[in-house]
Amino acid sequence: MKILRILFIVVISFSSLVVSAQPYFQRNDDIQVNINGNFIKFPWAGGLNFIQASNIDLNMDGVKDLFIFDRTGNKIRTFVNNGIAGAANYSYAPEWENFFPYLHDWVLLADYNCDGKEDIFSFADLGGGIKVYKNVSTTQFGLQFELVDTLLRSVFNPDANPPFNNPINLFVTSVDIPSISDIDNDGDVDIITFAINGSCLEYHQNQSQEDFHTCDSLKFKMKNRGWGFGSESPISNVFILNDTCANNVLNPGIQVDNNPEGNRSTDRHAGNCELCMDLDGDADKEIIIGNIYFNTLSMITNGGSPLLCNFVANDVDFPLNNGTGPAVDLALMPCAFKVDVNNDGINDIMVSPNVPNQSENFNSVLYYKNVGTNSFPSFQFQQSNFLQDSMIDVGEGAYPVFFDYDNDGLQDLFIGNANYYDTTHHGNQIAQFHNTGTTAQPKFELITRDYDNMSQLTLVNMIPTFGDLDGDGDADMIVGSDQGKIHYFQNIAPAGGTAQFALSMPNLRNTLNHYIDVGYTAAPQLVDIDGDGKKDLVIGGSNGKLLYLHHAGTGTETVPLFDSVTNYFGHVNVKEVYHIWGYSYPCVFKEGGITKMLVGDDGGHVRLYDSIDSNLSGYFNQVDSTFLGIFQGTRTAPNVADIDNDGLLDMALGNYEGGVTYYKGVSSLNGINEVANKFTWTFNLFPNPANDIITIKINNDIAAVGYTIELSNVMGQKIISEKTTTNTFTINTQNFAAGMYFCKVSEIKTDGSIKSGSLIKKLVIQH
């Protein structure tokens, strides 16, 4: 199994490296997990929900790998193709994820300049539209992207009299996914998308070949406001044929018969995804459409030509009639993506829903193998959980906690979830993984996805925590839920026996007989935070703050007694700027006898706090707001325990994609020395604070191949990612918003990969 050995050092002053006593972890894939009798391939890959898939060569080996973008938390996951022809054989390779810029809502990779390297098309930061990054990767420097356009534009009225040739925003909403494809087969990529205020398809033709006789430009012109002469029905997923569409360009290509039903409605909802590909071998492109209101994919046949599209037939059971089926039936708004999955040079399709929180989130990555050709495809269904079956995935939301439920001395793993969603029900459960390994080498086996049949309680967002609350020597359980309340389960097992929980008090109250309530999504932890030998409660919530309740009883009551102390514990608030929610997930622990706390948040980061001991009514010190540079997707939920008995805490980190990532604890002293010994350079950043420009000067007595320089904002969004072979690099910050940023410099090795360890400095920009 593979270990990604990356140890991040955080610089917490402007000019020097400050090392403080804090936990250090390395992402680790060594611990095996058995699900349904099989040891799955990459259990700790982090889960998948609502994905968009593209091919790209990540490691410059000439083989197309797999890029996965999940709308849940805008998380990128990268999988390296193991190069077996005709086999869908991948390894999870998270080391490539940080090479991509910050992307959100939707992402498609397509080669627009014909250099054989997939470029990035994504939802624009400036509002509805498309931004583009060029793939400038080389074998020397590896994977690298360069921003080429923050907002694609198109000439919308080329046939007006006089012509209106000023290009304006090529609008695409955040919930739509356009088709990036060579529609007219001239070698450059065109764009098909639904109009901003209508139900007809816009065809934006790339003028690169027409104007420059090359395919390296992104110059678009509205070719047709009613591409294919069809429109979306307001009441079904059957496309209306022979619709000339209002306000079309003067010469859209061909004429069609008049149709009394051809007057389209201009009241169109957002929520469509399009994929154009030739499905009948006649060189023109059919279109596959997913709609926000339907579970199926519609395919509309093109009876025209590459230059003159004309839709002639509907198929609402795609791909049943283009292969052996079955048809896609996937809640909600399934979207198709053209990907060579099995490394045979033939395009397959992957399908996934596109409506977060309302779509299938467990069996949500469909793979249809193309057993035909690229000209005459025939799609054969393979599975509904591609990649998901190789990782821990508990649907939507994952809240892990270590707990030895059978008293065998080995830490088992329990994972609460928000829900398993499909067309019939919402299932809210706690998964139980038994530790079948040894004290030094844990190994987990899934026992049940619905521990103790807790789904029957119909609680949403079940977040468990364990601790002895009645003084009988065994651990009881408290479960938080979406409603903001917590529920007490007493362990009624015989002494030393396997845990058996009985619901003793739903909606637990405090000593004033008030419901213990954080408002929304209670994330509890039982921990003796004041050192009196009794388990207290720290509870996170959607507002980003923490509630602290002191255990006020003797510790032997059948129902525990808690006093509400504060709803702003430590003055911690993890709700980030511009975020509606905070979703704090606390994990208090002892390290070297000192109390510390990790808090996951809605932004996908983990924060580290100290100065807790003898300061329960004061302000906790936030040591790090982006602990270890971790980003595993939104709503991160940390839990720590020494599961391999090496004297160091390990960490399981859940996220809202329903997966868990494992981080093995390493010695802070050894870890720091290990990385520090690899650095033969330092860097200076000036001026700091900065105004319009900053200079990064790398001080290195030994020549290096090069460096990567990344600038991120406080939300972890990557603003700049560049590579340099010189020791001095400047960044124009004139258009950056005032505030705090992080500058990370990493060394490039001779093989083009990034050397373990990075140096990070804070930067303040003020205008």
Side-chain angles (χ1 to χ4, degrees), residues 34 37 120 124 186 214 218 254 262 318 374 379 397 443 511 518 659 666 681 724:
N34 187 318
I120 300 173
D186 66 350
T214 182
L218 295 166
I254 60 176
F318 184 81
N374 284 330
F379 297 110
K443 185 185 300 183
T511 53
V518 297
V666 296
W681 52 273
T724 180

Side-chain angles (χ1 to χ4, degrees), residues 442-654:
K443 185 185 300 183
F444 295 106
E445 178 181 0
L446 176 65
I447 303 302
T448 177
R449 292 189 178 275
D450 190 11
Y451 177 65
D452 209 23
N453 295 314
M454 292 193 63
S455 62
Q456 296 179 7
L457 300 175
T458 65
L459 299 175
V460 179
N461 263 320
M462 287 199 283
I463 305 176
T465 181
F466 301 92
D468 185 6
L469 291 173
D470 55 7
D472 62 355
D474 56 28
D476 307 294
M477 178 173 67
I478 280 181
V479 175
S481 69
D482 231 23
Q483 294 83 1
K485 300 179 176 63
I486 62 173
H487 314 278
Y488 171 54
F489 296 78
Q490 188 176 23
N491 190 344
I492 59 174
T498 298
Q500 299 177 44
F501 295 109
L503 180 58
S504 178
M505 180 61 68
N507 299 322
L508 191 63
R509 298 170 182 258
N510 62 18
T511 53
L512 297 177
N513 203 33
H514 296 156
Y515 288 125
I516 298 173
D517 189 350
V518 297
Y520 187 66
T521 308
Q525 185 194 9
L526 285 167
V527 57
D528 180 12
I529 202 163
D530 57 5
D532 66 354
K534 298 174 295 185
K535 297 293 185 183
D536 307 298
L537 266 172
V538 177
I539 311 176
S542 61
N543 65 359
K545 299 179 181 180
L546 300 176
L547 181 69
Y548 166 45
L549 297 105
H550 170 66
H551 194 146
T554 63
T556 60
E557 292 86 1
T558 303
V559 176
L561 301 175
F562 290 102
D563 269 337
S564 294
V565 178
T566 177
N567 59 4
Y568 200 3
F569 189 42
H571 293 263
V572 169
N573 188 352
V574 300
K575 187 170 79 70
E576 297 177 347
V577 180
Y578 307 121
H579 280 231
I580 298 174
W581 306 109
Y583 289 108
S584 50
Y585 299 93
C587 177
V588 181
F589 61 96
K590 291 279 190 180
E591 186 186 42
I594 299 173
T595 302
K596 299 180 181 181
M597 179 171 62
L598 296 172
V599 184
D601 63 29
D602 183 51
H605 304 295
V606 178
R607 303 172 189 236
L608 176 65
Y609 295 86
D610 63 11
S611 298
I612 299 171
D613 291 315
S614 303
N615 188 34
L616 298 185
S617 61
Y619 287 75
F620 298 162
N621 175 50
Q622 182 174 272
V623 179
D624 196 343
S625 62
T626 55
F627 180 59
L628 300 184
I630 290 171
F631 178 75
Q632 286 298 331
T634 189
R635 301 195 196 179
T636 46
N639 188 258
V640 300
D642 181 7
I643 67 170
D644 54 8
N645 291 286
D646 63 355
L648 299 170
L649 292 172
D650 310 295
M651 179 171 68
L653 186 69

